[in-house]
Amino acid sequence: MTNFYTNTVYAVYLLFCLFITSSSSRSFIRQFTDDFNTNLQHMQPPLLLDLTYLNIFYTICSFNTLLKSTNTERYVSRPFSASGYNWTLVVYPNGNKKDNGAGFLSLYVAIDNSTLSPHQEVYVDLRFYVFNKIEKKFFTIQDTHGWRFNLFKTMWGFSQVLPVNTFKDSKNGYLYDGDHCEFGVDVTIPSRFEKSELFTVAERFHNPRFTWTIRGFSTLLKDTYYSDVFSIGGRRWNIQLHPSGRAWGEGKALSMYLILNANEKFRPYEKIYVRAKLRILIDNWFNGPGYGDGFGWGRPEFMPLSDLKDSSKGFLVNDVLMVQAELEAISSTKYFPN
């Protein structure tokens, strides 16, 4: 009879020492109803009950007792509502051994499957919190992807949040005032993106080179010449040539550029990354018309005219100049919706 009475008192004590504080945010844990909070104001709490009101967290004031208990594998909070569904926060003080969590503190969130239809799936972002009183900061853990809840998988979380030895060492700040700790979770269902874009870079084209043969180079009188249009990587291009140079290379060097064809279509603010060779490696972003300089790229001083016209160097043979562009990588961006 004495053991039964002792066990009953022990169970009641644990129930009072485990509670979740209320939150003003719909996505946070809400443990107490308004009526309960109203009644609580007129109650004198037991001396052993720590009433700490912190948003989104629930407090355990006898965590070491849970660690030593052989009958308490996990603690499950009372249900809370978030994003139209009911949830519970699940804590494994000694780790969820079925999920490779032995020796660690494990935290999970479980959905009330009665709020799910048979084939429904709910994608959720979860962020768990562990309070550190020494640093006065929250240790936060969150995955980079959403969690998919359904009738076959109703609980998601982290099996290895913190090593138990690290957590229960009071010098680390997670257990404080003897035996207190605080956990929390933020449950949000991300809204669908109305607009998005996908950026990719293509390489290893089927025919990456274009060679332009210019005959009678010494007879060229105009300042600027353009090659025929050529297509590589789904875009149309030209080589732009200045036989006598331009900008700071005028009169001193051959100037040559790879440019996007004037009829190439751009979306507003779209840029195209290109890695190409004009006998040298270029690596540049191409802007659409009206969005800054960058519709072409090259060198005003591509080659000194003295070297170009020196027959011993072999660049001009029978007054024929051959230039080539080889594209190695071209980016593309898809927009949704189109």
Side-chain angles (χ1 to χ4, degrees):
M1 187 69 178
T2 303
N3 290 337
F4 174 79
Y5 176 78
T6 302
N7 290 337
T8 302
V9 172
Y10 172 74
V12 172
Y13 169 73
L14 278 182
L15 289 175
F16 271 93
C17 287
L18 300 171
F19 67 93
I20 302 175
T21 62
S22 61
S23 170
S24 59
S25 171
R26 291 181 301 172
S27 63
F28 291 155
I29 297 177
R30 297 175 178 172
Q31 180 63 22
F32 295 113
T33 63
D34 292 337
D35 291 339
F36 185 84
N37 281 325
T38 300
N39 295 332
L40 193 62
Q41 294 175 1
H42 301 287
M43 294 173 57
Q44 180 65 33
L47 294 178
L48 296 177
L49 182 61
D50 181 4
L51 295 178
T52 304
Y53 290 91
L54 295 174
N55 287 339
I56 78 171
F57 281 91
Y58 76 83
T59 302
I60 297 178
C61 63
S62 294
F63 189 81
N64 277 318
T65 304
L66 290 178
L67 286 173
K68 298 174 183 177
S69 174
T70 58
N71 297 321
T72 307
E73 180 186 15
R74 65 180 186 174
Y75 172 75
V76 180
S77 75
R78 290 177 58 186
F80 63 95
S81 178
S83 302
Y85 300 91
N86 292 328
W87 312 84
T88 52
L89 178 61
V90 183
V91 180
Y92 288 79
N94 285 297
N96 183 2
K97 298 176 178 62
K98 297 179 181 179
D99 193 20
N100 195 32
F104 288 84
L105 172 73
S106 302
L107 296 176
Y108 297 85
V109 163
I111 192 170
D112 180 356
N113 56 18
S114 66
T115 60
L116 290 173
S117 57
H119 303 290
Q120 184 180 8
E121 292 187 330
V122 181
Y123 292 86
V124 177
D125 287 335
L126 299 177
R127 182 182 299 169
F128 294 90
Y129 302 88
V130 183
F131 180 61
N132 187 309
K133 188 171 184 179
I134 293 177
E135 296 184 4
K136 296 182 179 179
K137 295 179 181 179
F138 303 125
F139 173 80
T140 306
I141 183 169
Q142 179 180 16
D143 211 331
T144 56
H145 63 272
W147 307 83
R148 185 175 63 181
F149 289 82
N150 53 47
L151 289 178
F152 301 100
K153 185 64 176 178
T154 59
M155 188 173 76
W156 286 102
F158 296 93
S159 61
Q160 299 182 1
V161 177
L162 285 168
V164 172
N165 291 335
T166 299
F167 184 84
K168 69 181 183 180
D169 188 341
S170 60
K171 295 179 182 178
N172 295 322
Y174 298 109
L175 275 181
Y176 62 92
D177 294 345
D179 207 10
H180 294 67
C181 55
E182 297 168 2
F183 306 105
V185 65
D186 186 4
V187 179
T188 57
I189 296 180
S191 59
R192 294 187 173 216
F193 295 111
E194 295 182 358
K195 295 182 179 180
S196 62
E197 60 183 69
L198 174 64
F199 176 84
T200 57
V201 177
E203 298 179 324
R204 299 178 182 177
F205 307 110
H206 174 66
N207 187 11
R209 298 182 186 89
F210 172 77
T211 302
W212 182 19
T213 301
I214 306 168
R215 302 184 185 278
F217 180 80
S218 62
T219 64
L220 300 180
L221 301 177
K222 292 192 299 183
D223 176 69
T224 305
Y225 290 86
Y226 296 92
S227 72
D228 292 337
V229 180
F230 59 96
S231 296
I232 299 177
R235 295 285 186 175
R236 292 170 295 177
W237 311 87
N238 296 92
I239 295 177
Q240 178 179 314
L241 189 73
H242 300 267
S244 299
R246 64 167 294 184
W248 56 85
E250 185 174 357
K252 300 183 298 182
L254 174 73
S255 301
M256 186 165 62
Y257 300 84
L258 173 70
I259 65 171
L260 276 164
N261 183 259
N263 294 321
E264 189 65 29
K265 301 297 183 182
F266 270 81
R267 287 185 171 89
Y269 302 100
E270 182 181 6
K271 290 183 176 182
I272 301 175
Y273 168 79
V274 175
R275 187 173 71 245
K277 291 178 180 178
L278 289 173
R279 301 280 181 119
I280 59 173
L281 182 69
I282 70 168
D283 194 325
N284 192 59
W285 289 89
F286 285 69
N287 292 313
Y291 293 94
D293 297 333
F295 202 59
W297 197 91
R299 294 290 298 272
E301 295 180 308
F302 188 83
M303 177 182 292
L305 291 175
S306 58
D307 289 344
L308 179 65
K309 296 177 180 179
D310 186 343
S311 59
S312 66
K313 295 186 181 294
F315 296 112
L316 277 174
V317 179
N318 297 325
D319 206 23
V320 175
L321 177 68
M322 297 180 66
V323 296
Q324 186 180 82
E326 179 180 351
L327 279 69
E328 297 183 345
I330 303 173
S331 72
S332 63
T333 305
K334 294 182 179 180
Y335 295 87
F336 305 95
N338 291 327

